[in-house]
Amino acid sequence: FESPDVFLGRLTALRWSLVRQIMSAGEVSIRELARRVGRDVRRVHDDVRVLAELGLIERTANGGVCCPFTDIHLDMHLRKAG
C-alpha cells in the first residue's frame, strides 16, 4: 500500500470485526457470518470482497470464507518528512 491511510481506509471497524469473527469461526458462509454479526448479507458480502483483496481472508472451495492466519500483526512506520 502506498500509505497507511490507503490500507486503514479500507480496514474499517466493521471489517475488522468480521476478521475476528472469521478467525474464531474457522470456515463460515457469508450468510452465517452476516447472521452472527447482525448485518445485512449484501453488506457483509461487499466487506468480505475487500478483506479478500487485502489478503486478510480467503474464499473457500465450498463458497465460504476463512482466515488462513492464527495471528495478524499490523506494523507501520511513520517518518518525519525530510
Side-chain angles (χ1 to χ4, degrees):
F1 296 94
E2 60 256 16
S3 73
D5 293 340
V6 172
F7 180 75
L8 294 174
R10 299 191 75 201
L11 188 58
T12 64
L14 288 174
R15 290 176 182 158
W16 192 244
S17 72
L18 289 177
V19 171
R20 284 194 303 268
Q21 274 293 328
I22 295 166
M23 285 179 85
S24 67
E27 183 177 348
V28 64
S29 72
I30 293 176
R31 185 170 303 281
E32 175 61 18
L33 182 59
R35 187 194 67 73
R36 289 181 184 200
V37 297
R39 293 183 52 207
D40 177 73
V41 173
R42 182 73 217 159
R43 300 240 185 240
V44 170
H45 183 272
D46 292 343
D47 285 344
V48 161
R49 181 184 49 77
V50 171
L51 291 170
E53 288 172 3
L54 291 172
L56 294 172
I57 64 170
E58 296 177 347
R59 299 300 299 256
T60 66
N62 297 330
V65 291
C66 70
C67 181
F69 309 107
T70 57
D71 184 56
I72 296 175
H73 174 85
L74 302 176
D75 188 16
M76 288 182 266
H77 296 272
L78 298 174
R79 291 192 178 136
K80 182 178 177 180

